[in-house]
Amino acid sequence: MKLSFYKYQGTGNDFVIIDNRDQFFPKDDTKLVAALCERRFGIGADGLILLENDESVDFKMVYYNADGAEGSMCGNGGRCLVSFAHFLGVFEQETTFRAVDGLHYATIEGDFVRLKMQDVDDVHEKPAYSFLDTGSPHHVQLVKNLSGFKVEKEGKKLRYGLYGQAGSNINFVEQENDETFQVRTYERGVEAETYSCGTGVTAVALAMHKSGKTATNNVKIQTMGGELSISFKQIDGKYTDVFLIGPAVQVFKGEITCSI
């Protein structure tokens, strides 16, 4: 069977996106999802996303990690799916959609998507790192010489050694100035470093604000794939109106022959 798909990327975080509003895709076939995401023998992507109908909002997001397992919230994936839904004419300028962690509001202007993330009640500060959940669990750790840091080696150690089989995404951070940080992320499910991670940069911005490394509520994050911005409010220790802002670009449309 020939499967039609679209390839999108958000600051280098890339996704296979499929219009599944007719419910034809075999959602329990983890081997198929992993094969489509495989970079040498498949299409190649950090994850696969299905666009589906929803009874109460504009659409539903179903996200799979590159290993084939259904994943937690993906911020860049959410922004790319918003761009795809806009391309299909599902909405005009603003939308609300459902993801695994609840409802999300978003707007689009050109290639730029502003995606509202979930509120964050707790940022757990440890002596050497912070931990918080921004739709996915994230470890945030300041390091020196980020460009030369062994992200995959050290990320894998922490992902399994500190957080066990369930794991956490691991973000290594270096401060550039009062409002800008460089970030490299080891993502669980991909089990490798990715060019960018939306929930990860959101976690970094909030953790750096909580620890006093920055006083701004509009943080710029430099990833390997480009720049993202995170804006937010802090009220009584709780982070609200958290927006992940950046480009989401359609790379190409294609067909692949597979057994379904």
Side-chain angles (χ1 to χ4, degrees), residues 213-226:
K213 296 296 181 182
T214 182
T216 184
N217 63 350
N218 194 346
V219 177
K220 294 180 176 63
I221 301 289
Q222 298 287 345
T223 72
M224 290 176 65

Side-chain angles (χ1 to χ4, degrees), residues 63-105:
Y63 176 72
Y64 296 87
N65 291 318
D67 62 6
E70 192 165 351
S72 49
M73 179 57 187
C74 177
N76 284 331
R79 293 190 309 100
C80 286
L81 191 64
V82 166
S83 181
F84 180 55
H86 181 262
F87 167 75
L88 293 180
V90 174
F91 72 97
E92 292 186 0
Q93 290 181 310
E94 57 182 352
T95 185
T96 300
F97 68 95
R98 188 180 309 278
V100 67
D101 63 338
L103 297 181
H104 288 267
Y105 168 80

Side-chain angles (χ1 to χ4, degrees), residues 23-68:
Q23 292 289 319
F24 71 91
F25 190 84
K27 296 165 68 172
D28 295 331
D29 194 340
T30 57
K31 290 184 178 179
L32 174 60
V33 173
L36 293 172
C37 291
E38 214 284 326
R39 293 195 180 277
R40 293 187 182 274
F41 300 102
I43 301 164
D46 292 327
L48 181 145
I49 309 173
L50 302 178
L51 174 76
E52 297 189 345
N53 289 318
D54 188 274
E55 293 181 356
S56 58
V57 291
D58 289 335
F59 59 92
K60 179 181 179 181
M61 171 184 180
V62 181
Y63 176 72
Y64 296 87
N65 291 318
D67 62 6

Side-chain angles (χ1 to χ4, degrees), residues 11 35 38 46 49 58 72 76 86 95-96 107 131 136-138 162 165 184-185 192 194 202 205 219 226 235 249:
T11 53
E38 214 284 326
D46 292 327
I49 309 173
D58 289 335
S72 49
N76 284 331
H86 181 262
T95 185
T96 300
T107 62
F131 178 83
S136 292
H138 282 278
L162 186 58
Q165 189 60 37
R184 294 175 66 187
T185 302
T194 57
T202 303
V219 177
I235 302 174
V249 180

Side-chain angles (χ1 to χ4, degrees), residues 119-126 129-134 138-140 202-212 232 234 237-239 242:
D119 292 347
V120 175
D121 295 331
D122 298 306
V123 179
H124 304 281
E125 294 184 283
K126 305 292 184 180
Y129 65 90
S130 297
F131 178 83
L132 63 160
D133 194 311
T134 54
H138 282 278
H139 172 107
V140 178
T202 303
V204 168
L206 301 186
M208 293 299 99
H209 186 270
K210 177 72 173 181
S211 66
F232 53 85
Q234 186 187 36
K238 178 179 180 179
Y239 288 96
V242 182

